[in-house]
Amino acid sequence: GNYDVATNTAYFGTGNGGPWMGDQRPGDNLYTASTIAIDVATGKIKGHHQYHPNDSWDWDEVSPPILVDYQRNGRTVKGLIDVARDGYMWFLDRGTGSEIKFVEGKPFVYQNVFKSLDPKTGRPDVDPAHKPGTGKRAEFCPGLHGGKNWPPIAFSPRTRMIYVPANDNVCGAIAGGEVQAYVPGKNYTFANMGGPLVQPPSTAYFGQVQAWNVDTGKKVWTHTYTNTPNWGPMLTTAGGLVFTGGTNDRMFHAFDATSGKLLWEFPTSSGIIGQPSTFSVNGKQYVAVQSGWGIDSRAMEGRLNTIFPGKYPEVPEGGAIWVFAIK
């Protein structure tokens, strides 16, 4: 989650419903696939924004929205910004902490499920052809791993940009199966995944780092990786750097925060899906990160390798902490 000290409000993302198919649980299913505002003193929900009611895509909204004020139409918005699994970037207004208002939403990767968003509420108009159901297989983009999964974005007050670990052109398919009784501790999805599909407009890349200006809502630069998805949490520094891992070549990368130029990279023992952090000791600045591939990054790599045999092999695993000095 994230915390606003001015209003004593905590903001958390929430998961999707079970079973996965929305036709098994009619209605919007509040407060699934949402950001909720919680009064820290009482624990009560003060406000919410639901990104896609009646989720059927496993697009749980696992990311903490960042608390960044931004400019829109000549005014300062007390902002919440969330880059979501559903492939959309959401600019919200947290106001006084009592409610969350929609400001703007736009796709940051290829997305074919939402036909449009309601300009006042942000509620998506869903294309039923791309919504799976019980006994109904549907293909959709992005796939269940999302345009961005749990690895968090970062914001630089110096550049006024957010930095996004994105996965584009990786689509998926799901069909809902027969639902059985809930058993505590057991899987409660009842969905059959059809594996990822490569979807136009491009199959030349998957993983990206994207930089967006929060005041204009426009993308400033993109770094595209070759033959790898991106599962790298982001870190920005006051010195104008962006650090991230997330690629199957096991590299730890440093970018120029303004231009997106790749300044440095270093191979580690495994793929990096850990969150980089920075600190200083005796006046010298360091960056540390855990290298250790697995879970969803491994699953996506395996599914891509079924489509492109040999191009996406297993990544060495095993956790290790790597520390670097910034000169």
Side-chain angles (χ1 to χ4, degrees), residues 126-150:
V126 171
D127 185 344
H130 296 294
K131 183 175 183 178
T134 304
K136 173 193 172 186
R137 182 183 184 274
E139 300 174 0
F140 53 92
C141 306
L144 60 87
H145 290 294
K148 185 195 77 65
N149 206 281
W150 65 265

Side-chain angles (χ1 to χ4, degrees), residues 1-81:
N2 228 324
Y3 175 65
D4 188 346
V5 65
T7 61
N8 204 32
T9 305
Y11 296 91
F12 286 90
T14 64
N16 53 313
W20 274 5
M21 296 300 100
D23 58 15
Q24 294 289 339
R25 36 180 175 78
D28 286 358
N29 308 146
L30 290 177
Y31 295 94
T32 61
S34 302
T35 289
I36 56 174
I38 297 177
D39 187 309
V40 172
T42 66
K44 292 183 179 179
I45 294 177
K46 302 197 297 184
H48 76 279
H49 179 82
Q50 189 173 44
Y51 298 101
H52 42 275
N54 195 246
D55 176 273
S56 296
W57 305 274
D58 186 32
W59 286 340
D60 51 297
E61 199 32 65
V62 293
S63 296
I66 62 171
L67 280 58
V68 171
D69 297 347
Y70 56 88
Q71 300 296 310
R72 278 298 183 279
N73 302 319
R75 73 181 183 96
T76 299
V77 178
K78 298 292 291 182
L80 282 176
I81 302 174

